[in-house]
Amino acid sequence: MKKKTLFDKIWDAHVVESIPNGPDILYIDKHLIHEVTSPQAFNELKEREIPVFRPEQIVATADHNTPTENQHLPVKDLLSRKQLKELSQNCEENNITLYGLGHPYNGIVHVMAPELGITQPGMTIVCGDSHTSTHGAFGTIAFGIGTSQVSQVFASQCLLVEKPKKLRVNVNGKLKKGVLPKDVILYIISKLGTNSGTGYFCEYAGNVFEEMSMEGRMTVCNMSIEMGARGGLIAPDETTFEYVKGREFAPKGLEFENQLEYWKTLKSDEGAEFDKEYTFEAEDIEPMITYGTNPGMGIKLTGSIPTEGNKSDAKALAYMDFKPGETLLEKPINYIFIGSCTNSRIEDFRVAASYIKGKQKAENVNALIVPGSRQVAAQIKEEGLDKVFEEAGFKLRQPGCSACLAMNDDKIPEGEYCVSTSNRNFEGRQGQGSRTILASPLTAAATAVAGKITDFTKSLN
Amino acid sequence: MEKFITLIDTAVPLDSENVDTDQIIPARFLKATDKAGFGENLFRDWRFKKDGSKNEDFILNDPKYKGSILVAGNNFGCGSSREHAAWAIKAYGFKAVVSSYFADIFKGNALNNGVLPVQVSPEFLEKLFTAINLNPAQEIQIDLEKQQIEIKGTDLKENFDIDPYKKTCLINGYDDIDFLVSKLDSIKKFEEKNVSKKHPEAQM
Ligand code: SF4
């Protein structure tokens, strides 16, 4: 029998039909939607008078375009309000479950679905959002799609897609103190570049990922798209099963046991072939920051900006107002953002709070601390982390995408630097003229306390 | 969808690499609930200065360059999955984008909207930039049937790849929804069969 990768196993189990010389018809188990990329898809269907085929396999949330303060009040921005209203109407008309603003299950789509047990191993999941790759942490084929594809899934619960090639990234060894999953993925992208994964689905393997929590694995898989890959995935194991078990929409009782049998088969066969493979040593990884305008432009926190670059690199440095050869240590920073589907889960706040505890926020720093979901927000309270933040001078916001893409009021002003736990440092991503430095929640917390970029690793015990 | 067969036109050279979808259409323009009006905001923050005046240095504002072909640097369309990027490019009037590399999702989105992504070798891309910069009135021919791009009046040409299924769709103006809806019976059969997938012991 041909040896299969984890990716092959899931993909092949979902192919309805292969079109000769063409794409596969891939069956989609779960379709997640949000307010920004769905309205035109609903319209398309309406115009063609096609019904939504499997509404019970769709889950909706409002996250991209929502305020992070006063969520109980009507949304001030009229266009945003209209977009949210359209989502509610479309969901209602089509019998789709919506966890809208204010619902206890509301949150960023890639945070709420896993924590509700909607995301399960072996599934195919799509969403009109590129960071759908996050769900791959469960051993799931999950990828972002465009709005035309959203309408295709509405119409048929399937997609026409060519099977991507397979890439494997191995990281083995022991991570240094202060190195978080975010640093691991920023390191990988800085080594491989932003288009190394184009056309591929990436499996992450090695003891570093095996020992990672689900939250950490989600952070890693989330950023697969930043190296160009459609998605990333990690073989499900005890950590995964333990996480899924007992969650709201996870299978229960005998059904869980049956599923578990199947989930346990979901790993790459020994000797299965990958089209490309890279291996890194955990010991080489240090806390990372980015200095440019794409996520591949990363260096270690204590490193300096490379002196060799092309025209595009020079343009990026000009935008960031950095110089080749410069170190970012001691750079004053006025904004930090802890949030986004990359780093807004409970663990991210635990690690930030544990650093902040007993310290004070620097005067010059404006901090946006935004949980990924209502459930995360509730857990922060339960664990008393909100007190830690408050005592240090930080205020917690309400959940949403927030300053990750600055569609709402949470914007970084022109010319200002923001050390951000989000996933993209593109020009203007956090507001027109804003300058984003991507980092882990620990680095962001340390920056907030110091008021500048600082080598916090020295103070870790 | 409009049919795409052969395109002969002048081109706009956007010599930047890693043009991401946040530049193509910034997030603040994603609040719309229909597909209209995105052309005005294509490359908004590069085309216009903060005070709303035109940025004369940006290539789209250079009256020398016109046409429905956008020639761009490596790794075009990376970043978010927003199809708004493809809508903006189409609404502005581009029918084809040429680059040495396209991000996956953008490529699919473009194809789904009848905008042809033409992937050429880095060497050919250089030749295109040189030819257009030398002569902004230089015509480029893109022949989808032959899968060939040519700098008119020269012997410089190159073949490009396209998924045969997508090619048929573009040439005929079909789209994927029509096709998938025609397959609903097999999809239902697949669903029935796969109830058992959840219970692997039943298959053994
Ligand atoms: S947090 Fe950012 S990256 Fe994640 S879904 Fe929201 S906008 Fe997209």
Side-chain angles (χ1 to χ4, degrees):
Chain A
M1 215 170 65
K2 192 166 180 297
K3 300 204 164 74
K4 284 186 168 194
T5 67
L6 165 63
F7 178 78
D8 292 326
K9 289 182 185 177
I10 307 174
W11 183 279
D12 296 350
H14 287 84
V15 174
V16 175
E17 217 175 273
S18 293
I19 299 170
N21 276 324
D24 288 340
I25 302 180
L26 188 74
Y27 190 80
I28 303 302
D29 295 317
K30 280 280 179 287
H31 184 191
L32 309 171
I33 62 170
H34 61 82
E35 75 276 25
V36 176
T37 55
S38 68
Q40 291 89 347
F42 279 113
N43 289 343
E44 183 83 45
L45 243 62
K46 235 182 265 171
E47 275 163 32
R48 299 184 187 212
E49 299 179 8
I50 299 173
V52 173
F53 180 57
R54 293 289 179 244
E56 63 284 1
Q57 281 165 253
I58 309 173
V59 179
T61 184
D63 55 0
H64 279 64
N65 198 358
T66 52
T68 54
E69 285 179 309
N70 295 321
Q71 289 186 349
H72 61 290
L73 298 178
V75 175
K76 271 192 287 182
D77 182 286
L78 286 182
L79 283 173
S80 307
R81 202 199 299 172
K82 178 162 179 276
Q83 209 171 42
L84 292 167
K85 203 172 122 212
E86 245 177 76
L87 179 71
S88 313
Q89 278 171 350
N90 282 325
C91 288
E92 205 170 302
E93 279 166 26
N94 294 289
N95 289 318
I96 293 167
T97 305
L98 164 69
Y99 300 125
L101 210 54
H103 191 284
Y105 292 166
N106 175 257
I108 305 175
V109 60
H110 313 309
V111 177
M112 54 76 76
E115 75 187 3
L116 287 172
I118 293 169
T119 304
Q120 295 163 24
M123 281 184 165
T124 47
I125 299 184
V126 295
C127 172
D129 185 282
S130 53
H131 292 98
T132 308
S133 58
T134 313
H135 307 263
F138 291 79
T140 303
I141 292 186
F143 54 94
I145 56 177
T147 298
S148 296
Q149 291 174 304
V150 172
S151 21
Q152 291 160 28
V153 184
F154 281 162
S156 68
Q157 203 56 35
C158 286
L159 273 178
L160 282 161
V161 263
E162 246 180 284
K163 188 173 179 180
K165 286 183 279 188
K166 287 152 293 178
L167 159 72
R168 182 158 62 184
V169 174
N170 307 287
V171 186
N172 289 302
K174 194 170 162 2
L175 289 177
K176 289 186 186 160
K177 233 183 222 128
V179 174
L180 301 191
K182 180 65 163 285
D183 300 308
V184 174
I185 188 66
L186 282 174
Y187 176 84
I188 295 171
I189 301 168
S190 77
K191 291 288 169 203
L192 300 182
T194 49
N195 65 16
S196 56
T198 307
Y200 292 84
F201 235 85
C202 175
E203 179 175 341
Y204 300 95
N207 73 298
V208 164
F209 303 109
E210 285 161 19
E211 289 158 19
M212 241 178 225
S213 66
M214 285 318 291
E215 283 87 352
R217 294 179 192 182
M218 283 190 255
T219 301
V220 169
C221 290
N222 174 277
M223 289 194 71
S224 307
I225 183 82
E226 308 312 337
M227 56 176 172
R230 269 320 271 284
L233 74 180
I234 295 174
D237 57 10
E238 284 309 319
T239 309
T240 324
F241 310 143
E242 219 20 70
Y243 181 98
V244 174
K245 196 174 182 176
R247 295 201 177 247
E248 184 76 32
F249 298 105
K252 306 267 149 56
L254 188 62
E255 206 198 326
F256 183 85
E257 296 308 317
N258 284 334
Q259 285 285 51
L260 195 60
E261 285 297 302
Y262 172 57
W263 293 347
K264 284 183 177 163
T265 66
L266 296 175
K267 49 176 165 255
S268 291
D269 295 331
E270 196 81 40
E273 266 180 52
F274 288 82
D275 300 285
K276 259 204 298 203
E277 185 148 14
Y278 300 98
T279 300
F280 299 104
E281 305 298 327
E283 288 76 8
D284 293 340
I285 309 178
E286 291 193 21
M288 297 285 294
I289 44 171
T290 63
Y291 60 90
T293 55
N294 74 55
M297 300 174 86
I299 47 175
K300 54 186 187 189
L301 183 61
T302 54
S304 46
I305 297 174
T307 45
E308 288 153 22
N310 60 19
K311 209 168 49 182
S312 296
D313 296 337
K315 183 170 174 271
L317 286 188
Y319 182 85
M320 295 298 289
D321 196 21
F322 289 149
K323 313 232 158 8
E326 191 178 23
T327 164
L328 298 191
L329 282 179
E330 304 302 313
K331 274 256 173 225
I333 300 290
N334 295 333
Y335 288 82
I336 67 123
F337 170 52
I338 302 183
S340 90
C341 57
T342 316
N343 285 116
S344 65
R345 298 181 180 81
I346 190 65
E347 244 179 38
D348 302 314
F349 296 102
R350 279 186 200 138
V351 76
S354 75
Y355 182 87
I356 285 169
K357 197 172 174 134
K359 302 187 180 82
Q360 277 296 316
K361 177 182 84 62
E363 288 265 337
N364 61 313
V365 169
N366 295 288
L368 272 163
I369 303 194
V370 188
S373 70
R374 295 275 283 217
Q375 295 215 67
V376 172
Q379 203 171 345
I380 287 177
K381 270 222 170 90
E382 223 177 86
E383 298 184 11
L385 305 180
D386 54 332
K387 296 266 153 33
V388 176
F389 285 113
E390 256 160 51
E391 277 162 21
F394 297 92
K395 203 177 149 259
L396 285 171
R397 295 292 188 103
Q398 288 172 303
C401 293
S402 180
C404 174
L405 89 166
M407 268 189 89
N408 65 3
D409 287 341
D410 306 345
K411 293 182 180 27
I412 310 305
E414 180 163 9
E416 290 284 357
Y417 294 107
C418 177
V419 171
S420 173
T421 66
S422 55
N423 41 51
R424 285 185 176 144
N425 49 357
F426 298 155
E427 285 182 27
R429 170 82 177 181
Q430 298 194 288
Q432 268 179 289
S434 63
R435 294 167 171 155
T436 304
I437 297 171
L438 301 175
S440 80
L442 188 53
T443 306
T447 307
V449 167
K452 58 187 182 182
I453 296 179
T454 173
D455 182 12
F456 61 86
T457 55
K458 290 189 201 129
S459 69
L460 296 178
N461 38 45
Chain B
M1 211 165 66
E2 233 176 283
K3 297 180 183 182
F4 190 113
I5 299 164
T6 299
L7 177 64
I8 304 174
D9 205 348
T10 53
V12 181
L14 174 62
D15 193 2
S16 294
E17 290 184 4
N18 299 314
V19 173
D20 60 74
T21 49
D22 276 79
Q23 308 318 316
I24 300 174
I25 183 93
R28 61 184 188 284
F29 299 114
L30 307 187
K31 293 181 182 180
T33 49
D34 54 32
K35 293 185 188 175
F38 285 106
E40 282 159 45
N41 297 320
L42 174 70
F43 295 118
R44 182 75 203 194
D45 294 343
W46 286 350
R47 262 163 79 197
F48 298 95
K49 296 193 188 138
K50 212 135 190 230
D51 60 12
S53 65
K54 261 193 189 177
N55 172 12
E56 302 293 345
D57 296 338
F58 184 55
I59 199 82
L60 260 67
N61 290 330
D62 188 334
K64 279 206 300 286
Y65 299 106
K66 289 192 194 67
S68 59
I69 301 171
L70 179 67
V71 179
N74 193 45
N75 199 26
F76 186 84
C78 56
S80 109
S81 63
R82 59 185 72 156
E83 195 159 316
H84 313 67
W87 299 335
I89 285 178
K90 187 185 165 133
Y92 185 84
F94 290 119
K95 296 186 176 137
V97 186
V98 184
S99 174
S100 50
Y101 218 93
F102 290 96
D104 278 340
I105 306 185
F106 174 80
K107 194 171 176 180
N109 286 341
L111 286 165
N112 280 332
N113 286 281
V115 172
L116 182 66
V118 180
Q119 185 168 328
V120 296
S121 65
E123 296 76 35
F124 193 78
L125 187 69
E126 265 319 302
K127 287 180 192 152
L128 273 170
F129 277 129
T130 314
I132 303 163
N133 288 332
L134 268 174
N135 173 19
Q138 173 66 54
E139 282 188 324
I140 313 292
Q141 173 166 329
I142 299 172
D143 183 333
L144 178 56
E145 186 63 56
K146 283 203 234 150
Q147 299 182 214
Q148 196 173 69
I149 175 166
E150 182 183 334
I151 305 178
K152 287 288 269 186
T154 71
D155 53 6
L156 300 173
K157 53 179 108 172
E158 190 169 276
N159 284 19
F160 59 87
D161 279 339
I162 178 166
D163 178 294
Y165 165 81
K166 276 290 166 200
K167 179 175 170 180
T168 318
C169 287
L170 281 174
I171 290 178
N172 296 296
Y174 295 158
D175 74 14
D176 290 353
I177 300 188
D178 303 327
F179 182 81
L180 285 168
V181 168
S182 76
K183 290 282 180 186
L184 281 186
D185 281 342
S186 356
I187 295 171
K188 282 180 196 153
K189 273 194 208 113
F190 175 89
E191 285 179 326
E192 278 158 31
K193 190 180 82 203
N194 278 273
V195 178
S196 61
K197 192 187 78 210
K198 290 191 177 170
H199 306 283
E201 73 286 353
Q203 289 179 329
M204 285 172 197

Short mmCIF file of all heavy atoms in Angstrom, two decimals, chain A residues 192-211:
data_model
loop_
_atom_site.label_atom_id
_atom_site.label_comp_id
_atom_site.label_asym_id
_atom_site.label_seq_id
_atom_site.Cartn_x
_atom_site.Cartn_y
_atom_site.Cartn_z
N LEU A 192 12.74 30.62 5.79
CA LEU A 192 12.24 30.09 4.52
C LEU A 192 11.70 31.16 3.57
O LEU A 192 11.62 30.93 2.37
CB LEU A 192 11.15 29.04 4.79
CG LEU A 192 11.57 27.82 5.61
CD1 LEU A 192 10.42 26.84 5.75
CD2 LEU A 192 12.78 27.14 4.98
N GLY A 193 11.30 32.30 4.09
CA GLY A 193 10.78 33.35 3.21
C GLY A 193 9.28 33.26 3.04
O GLY A 193 8.65 32.24 3.34
N THR A 194 8.71 34.35 2.51
CA THR A 194 7.26 34.45 2.51
C THR A 194 6.58 33.70 1.36
O THR A 194 5.36 33.63 1.33
CB THR A 194 6.79 35.92 2.42
OG1 THR A 194 7.51 36.53 1.36
CG2 THR A 194 7.03 36.64 3.71
N ASN A 195 7.35 33.18 0.40
CA ASN A 195 6.62 32.40 -0.61
C ASN A 195 7.15 30.98 -0.76
O ASN A 195 6.80 30.28 -1.69
CB ASN A 195 6.56 33.13 -1.96
CG ASN A 195 7.92 33.31 -2.58
OD1 ASN A 195 8.87 32.66 -2.17
ND2 ASN A 195 8.01 34.17 -3.57
N SER A 196 7.91 30.54 0.23
CA SER A 196 8.46 29.18 0.16
C SER A 196 7.36 28.14 0.19
O SER A 196 7.52 27.03 -0.31
CB SER A 196 9.40 28.95 1.34
OG SER A 196 8.69 29.20 2.54
N GLY A 197 6.23 28.49 0.78
CA GLY A 197 5.17 27.50 0.93
C GLY A 197 4.10 27.57 -0.15
O GLY A 197 3.15 26.79 -0.13
N THR A 198 4.24 28.49 -1.10
CA THR A 198 3.19 28.66 -2.10
C THR A 198 2.97 27.35 -2.88
O THR A 198 3.93 26.78 -3.39
CB THR A 198 3.51 29.81 -3.07
OG1 THR A 198 3.77 30.98 -2.29
CG2 THR A 198 2.35 30.09 -4.00
N GLY A 199 1.73 26.91 -2.90
CA GLY A 199 1.41 25.66 -3.58
C GLY A 199 1.48 24.45 -2.67
O GLY A 199 1.22 23.33 -3.10
N TYR A 200 1.85 24.67 -1.41
CA TYR A 200 2.04 23.55 -0.49
C TYR A 200 1.09 23.62 0.71
O TYR A 200 0.63 24.68 1.10
CB TYR A 200 3.46 23.56 0.09
CG TYR A 200 4.53 23.25 -0.90
CD1 TYR A 200 5.04 24.25 -1.72
CD2 TYR A 200 5.02 21.95 -1.04
CE1 TYR A 200 6.03 23.98 -2.64
CE2 TYR A 200 6.00 21.67 -1.96
CZ TYR A 200 6.51 22.68 -2.76
OH TYR A 200 7.48 22.41 -3.67
N PHE A 201 0.92 22.45 1.31
CA PHE A 201 0.34 22.35 2.64
C PHE A 201 1.49 21.87 3.52
O PHE A 201 2.25 20.99 3.12
CB PHE A 201 -0.80 21.32 2.67
CG PHE A 201 -2.06 21.90 3.19
CD1 PHE A 201 -2.93 22.59 2.37
CD2 PHE A 201 -2.39 21.78 4.54
CE1 PHE A 201 -4.10 23.14 2.85
CE2 PHE A 201 -3.55 22.32 5.04
CZ PHE A 201 -4.41 23.01 4.20
N CYS A 202 1.63 22.45 4.68
CA CYS A 202 2.81 22.18 5.48
C CYS A 202 2.47 21.35 6.71
O CYS A 202 1.58 21.71 7.48
CB CYS A 202 3.43 23.51 5.91
SG CYS A 202 4.82 23.32 7.02
N GLU A 203 3.19 20.24 6.89
CA GLU A 203 3.05 19.51 8.16
C GLU A 203 4.21 19.90 9.07
O GLU A 203 5.36 19.94 8.65
CB GLU A 203 3.05 18.00 7.94
CG GLU A 203 2.92 17.25 9.27
CD GLU A 203 2.78 15.72 9.14
OE1 GLU A 203 2.42 15.22 8.05
OE2 GLU A 203 3.03 15.04 10.14
N TYR A 204 3.89 20.23 10.32
CA TYR A 204 4.93 20.52 11.30
C TYR A 204 5.16 19.26 12.12
O TYR A 204 4.20 18.67 12.63
CB TYR A 204 4.50 21.66 12.22
CG TYR A 204 4.23 22.96 11.48
CD1 TYR A 204 2.93 23.29 11.09
CD2 TYR A 204 5.27 23.82 11.14
CE1 TYR A 204 2.68 24.47 10.40
CE2 TYR A 204 5.02 25.00 10.45
CZ TYR A 204 3.72 25.31 10.08
OH TYR A 204 3.47 26.47 9.39
N ALA A 205 6.42 18.85 12.22
CA ALA A 205 6.72 17.63 12.94
C ALA A 205 7.96 17.81 13.79
O ALA A 205 8.71 18.77 13.62
CB ALA A 205 6.91 16.49 11.95
N GLY A 206 8.14 16.91 14.70
CA GLY A 206 9.30 16.98 15.59
C GLY A 206 8.85 17.19 17.02
O GLY A 206 7.71 17.57 17.27
N ASN A 207 9.76 16.94 17.96
CA ASN A 207 9.35 16.93 19.36
C ASN A 207 8.90 18.31 19.85
O ASN A 207 8.11 18.40 20.78
CB ASN A 207 10.46 16.34 20.24
CG ASN A 207 11.62 17.29 20.40
OD1 ASN A 207 12.28 17.63 19.42
ND2 ASN A 207 11.85 17.77 21.60
N VAL A 208 9.41 19.37 19.21
CA VAL A 208 9.01 20.71 19.67
C VAL A 208 7.49 20.89 19.53
O VAL A 208 6.83 21.41 20.42
CB VAL A 208 9.79 21.80 18.90
CG1 VAL A 208 9.14 23.16 19.05
CG2 VAL A 208 11.23 21.83 19.39
N PHE A 209 6.95 20.42 18.41
CA PHE A 209 5.50 20.56 18.21
C PHE A 209 4.73 19.53 19.04
O PHE A 209 3.65 19.80 19.54
CB PHE A 209 5.15 20.46 16.73
CG PHE A 209 5.87 21.48 15.91
CD1 PHE A 209 6.89 21.11 15.04
CD2 PHE A 209 5.57 22.83 16.04
CE1 PHE A 209 7.58 22.06 14.31
CE2 PHE A 209 6.26 23.78 15.31
CZ PHE A 209 7.27 23.40 14.45
N GLU A 210 5.34 18.35 19.17
CA GLU A 210 4.67 17.32 19.98
C GLU A 210 4.51 17.77 21.42
O GLU A 210 3.53 17.47 22.07
CB GLU A 210 5.49 16.01 19.95
CG GLU A 210 5.34 15.26 18.64
CD GLU A 210 6.45 14.25 18.40
OE1 GLU A 210 7.12 13.85 19.36
OE2 GLU A 210 6.63 13.87 17.22
N GLU A 211 5.49 18.52 21.90
CA GLU A 211 5.44 18.96 23.30
C GLU A 211 4.65 20.26 23.48
O GLU A 211 4.45 20.71 24.60
CB GLU A 211 6.87 19.13 23.83
CG GLU A 211 7.56 17.79 24.03
CD GLU A 211 9.08 17.89 24.02
OE1 GLU A 211 9.61 19.00 24.24
OE2 GLU A 211 9.72 16.85 23.78
#
